[in-house]
Amino acid sequence: MSQTTLTYRLGDREVGRLGYGAMQLAGPGVFGPPADEARAIQVLRDVIAAGVNHIDTSDFYGPHVTNKLIKQALHPYPEDLCIVTKVGARRDDQANWLPAFSADELTRAVEDNLRHLGLDSMEVVNLRAMFGVHGPEDGPLEAPLEALIKLKERGLIRHIGLSNVTAKQVADAQKMTPVACVQNLYNVANRHDDKLIDSLNEQGIPFVPFFPLGGFTPLQSGELNEVAQALNATPMQVALAWLLQRSPNILLIPGTSSPQHLQENLASAQLTLPPEALAKLDAIGKA
């Protein structure tokens, strides 16, 4: 069975494990409009044409830019499309990322997402913790979770997920509400969530890694490049294939604003890494 046919449960939807992240559709620094709006629209339509049914976005991308592009390109949406957003942050006029954790801010953020996407209810809303700039840090999530639970009771949210969180925050949140997914930085070189991924897998909860090649600080890995060259693939394809083979509960959301790169990313689902390649890549995270 090819990896493109593999699916996993996300909220109430069965989604393909290779999805799409819309962050890069905004302007430089995830701020402002794209340089080429027509190309951004084309990428989104190519995503759907390729059979992808999981799109990750947020109204603080732009802000508002990616959600408006998604609506423009894809509304009315395919019945099987699962759009996931995140709240908990906002942007100021200088493009800074600031916490937005109050009940009023979270309510406004969910309502803005719904309006800009043209939806009556969000399938999944991830609460993005903002205690740490460079990664998860422990801090209380009870108050913002209570606000999201109230929005869920109103029918504006079907499922609640978490982003940029520690294992303790996940466990604490599960005492309050079911957690639909966890979205953290994770890749072949950044393996801090290995135990969390395995624990979530045992519970049937998806883990959604972002920055498969390091994001704002790209991975510099000779081993990754060597494996890619040997398999006649790109480093990104190898990084994505490694994640798909890492655990069955991993859902991928690689982002791009390029139609060509989109097709390259999607082709990674057909790439099976042999044991010797897996061993070489696994060693990167243990170095």
Side-chain angles (χ1 to χ4, degrees):
M1 179 182 294
S2 75
Q3 290 173 331
T4 51
T5 63
L6 295 181
T7 62
Y8 202 81
R9 198 73 174 174
L10 177 60
D12 292 326
R13 308 291 184 92
E14 197 77 16
V15 301
R17 291 182 59 208
L18 189 50
Y20 174 74
M23 184 176 73
Q24 292 188 34
L25 294 182
V30 201
F31 196 72
D36 189 339
E37 181 177 299
R39 188 170 79 153
I41 295 292
Q42 186 60 54
V43 167
L44 286 164
R45 290 176 176 165
D46 289 350
V47 165
I48 299 302
V52 173
N53 61 358
H54 171 204
I55 293 179
D56 180 85
T57 186
S58 176
D59 216 41
F60 54 67
Y61 294 162
H64 319 311
V65 169
T66 62
N67 282 351
K68 290 180 177 180
L69 287 170
I70 290 169
K71 181 181 179 183
Q72 181 181 344
L74 305 179
H75 196 277
Y77 302 113
E79 289 186 7
D80 68 337
L81 179 61
C82 180
I83 300 178
V84 178
T85 193
K86 64 187 69 64
V87 295
R90 64 180 178 85
R91 312 297 294 279
D92 65 13
D93 292 341
Q94 287 74 47
N96 294 309
W97 304 79
L98 304 174
F101 257 34
S102 72
D104 286 345
E105 288 172 314
L106 293 170
T107 299
R108 186 162 58 250
V110 170
E111 291 174 344
D112 285 349
N113 273 277
L114 292 171
R115 182 173 66 257
H116 293 140
L117 288 166
L119 293 170
D120 296 322
S121 179
M122 292 299 312
E123 181 67 25
V124 181
V125 171
N126 289 323
L127 176 63
R128 211 285 186 184
M130 296 290 288
F131 300 110
V133 176
H134 301 294
E137 288 186 13
D138 274 319
L141 294 178
E142 288 80 6
L145 279 172
E146 286 176 359
L148 292 185
I149 290 169
K150 290 180 180 179
L151 295 174
K152 184 178 178 182
E153 292 170 350
R154 288 175 53 191
L156 301 185
I157 298 172
R158 295 192 181 97
H159 300 275
I160 296 170
L162 300 171
S163 179
N164 196 44
V165 288
T166 66
K168 181 181 185 302
Q169 287 167 330
V170 175
D172 289 346
Q174 288 179 306
K175 298 173 185 176
M176 299 178 63
T177 184
V179 172
C181 60
V182 174
Q183 185 180 106
N184 277 0
L185 167 64
Y186 182 83
N187 54 49
V188 68
N190 295 277
R191 306 281 296 279
H192 305 294
D193 277 342
D194 273 337
K195 290 183 179 179
L196 177 58
I197 290 171
D198 294 339
S199 173
L200 294 172
N201 184 42
E202 292 173 358
Q203 300 173 67
I205 297 173
F207 181 90
V208 188
F210 57 80
F211 292 163
L213 277 183
F216 298 122
T217 54
L219 300 180
Q220 302 296 323
S221 170
E223 292 88 350
L224 181 63
N225 293 336
E226 289 171 11
V227 170
Q229 187 173 9
L231 296 175
N232 194 28
T234 69
M236 175 65 112
Q237 288 173 327
V238 171
L240 294 174
W242 180 85
L243 287 165
L244 285 173
Q245 290 179 234
R246 165 63 180 82
S247 184
N249 67 321
I250 287 181
L251 301 179
L252 302 185
I253 50 168
T256 180
S257 59
S258 161
Q260 178 184 348
H261 288 160
L262 172 66
Q263 297 306 320
E264 290 178 359
N265 290 344
L266 295 176
S268 64
Q270 307 294 339
L271 181 63
T272 300
L273 303 177
E276 60 271 19
L278 285 173
K280 182 176 288 189
L281 295 172
D282 286 345
I284 298 174
K286 299 173 183 176

